[in-house]
Amino acid sequence: RQSNLRVLVDMDGVLCDFELYLLESYKQKYPNEPCIELQDREGFWVKDQYEKLKEGLGANCVNVHNCKGFFKNLPEIPGSIEAVKELSQMENVDVFLCTSPLNYYKYCMQEKYAWVEKHLGKNWLEKIIITKDKTVVNGHVLIDDKPNITGAMLQPSWEHIVFTSCHNTGTNLHGKRRLDNWTDGTWRDLIEEFKKR
Ligand code: TMP
């Protein structure tokens, strides 16, 4: 390969624990409403599953993640920070953070930057790619928990590696490969394999 291996890493669900923090914050905000425990989550969109559970609960979810401080305070997915730091130090690898913002951008956008600065450091602000359409981003690998990533490019340059999350454990990935976690070291083997291509 003439260039370095470009690895695109999603934020929500891969670096930051959107699902866990949404559930915790929801329980705090709506203690008397039913909720969906993480082991019962299905489908990418939290609000859709809540709305099916009971009319109006979808809007409650939106209220939770639209709040000031939500994106800034997301906890890290175990091991993610250490892993992407190590990944970025690997020879012939370039890492980019590739994330889709909420249309309600008032807090989300700046807080994503704040999160990266806090957890990874100022230098990483250079690595942020904010886009609603990841198919037009040119990379070799995209690590993302959303099972079905579509957009303007029918055949994106990257291979999508699905990061395992509570909402996709039962999802048919139609042959796509998974990365289950950042903690057992398998991500290193995956990257080494891509580097050899
Ligand atoms: P991602 O595909 O880069 O992880 O983008 C996730 C974006 O979608 C993030 O801004 C949060 C938003 N989102 C919702 O609005 N509702 C949801 O139920 C989920 C899971 C994410």
Side-chain angles (χ1 to χ4, degrees), residues 9-14 18-19 22 41 43-49 61-62 65-66 70-71 98-104 108 112 129 131-132 134 144-146 149 167:
V9 183
D10 172 36
M11 288 181 69
D12 299 311
V14 176
F18 181 95
E19 290 276 350
L22 183 57
R41 277 275 298 117
F44 181 74
W45 300 105
V46 181
K47 62 172 178 288
D48 290 353
Q49 196 183 357
C61 294
V62 173
H65 65 57
N66 282 359
F70 180 81
F71 282 91
C98 189
T99 182
S100 299
L102 295 178
N103 288 340
Y104 187 74
C108 174
K112 279 181 175 291
I129 300 171
T131 177
K132 282 288 197 181
K134 298 184 185 182
D144 199 306
D145 63 308
K146 188 178 189 177
I149 298 178
H167 64 78

Side-chain angles (χ1 to χ4, degrees), residues 42-187:
E42 279 174 14
F44 181 74
W45 300 105
V46 181
K47 62 172 178 288
D48 290 353
Q49 196 183 357
Y50 273 77
E51 190 61 23
K52 259 194 248 167
L53 183 66
K54 186 182 154 190
E55 204 183 317
L57 295 190
N60 289 4
C61 294
V62 173
N63 282 338
V64 171
H65 65 57
N66 282 359
C67 270
K68 183 172 198 279
F70 180 81
F71 282 91
K72 195 175 137 191
N73 291 323
L74 291 175
E76 70 161 305
I77 297 275
S80 67
I81 298 296
E82 207 188 310
V84 290
K85 281 183 176 169
E86 185 183 330
L87 177 60
S88 72
Q89 297 289 317
M90 286 170 89
E91 233 175 288
N92 306 318
V93 174
D94 288 326
V95 181
F96 294 91
L97 309 178
C98 189
T99 182
S100 299
L102 295 178
N103 288 340
Y104 187 74
Y105 52 78
K106 188 167 185 186
Y107 306 116
C108 174
M109 295 288 292
Q110 68 185 79
E111 292 189 11
K112 279 181 175 291
Y113 276 80
W115 196 95
V116 169
E117 182 172 25
K118 177 181 169 191
H119 292 271
L120 286 160
K122 261 197 166 34
N123 293 343
W124 282 78
L125 299 176
E126 316 267 341
K127 302 296 178 185
I128 299 175
I129 300 171
I130 301 225
T131 177
K132 282 288 197 181
D133 187 342
K134 298 184 185 182
T135 69
V136 301
V137 181
N138 188 301
H140 299 101
V141 189
L142 169 67
I143 301 173
D144 199 306
D145 63 308
K146 188 178 189 177
N148 201 19
I149 298 178
T150 55
M153 289 281 286
L154 296 179
Q155 289 185 296
S157 55
W158 34 257
E159 179 175 331
H160 179 192
I161 302 294
V162 179
F163 194 83
T164 298
S165 177
C166 57
H167 64 78
N168 71 29
T169 48
T171 308
N172 180 355
L173 302 182
H174 304 286
K176 276 178 283 210
R177 292 163 62 182
R178 282 182 183 273
L179 177 61
D180 284 329
N181 59 64
W182 290 114
T183 48
D184 70 5
T186 49
W187 69 266

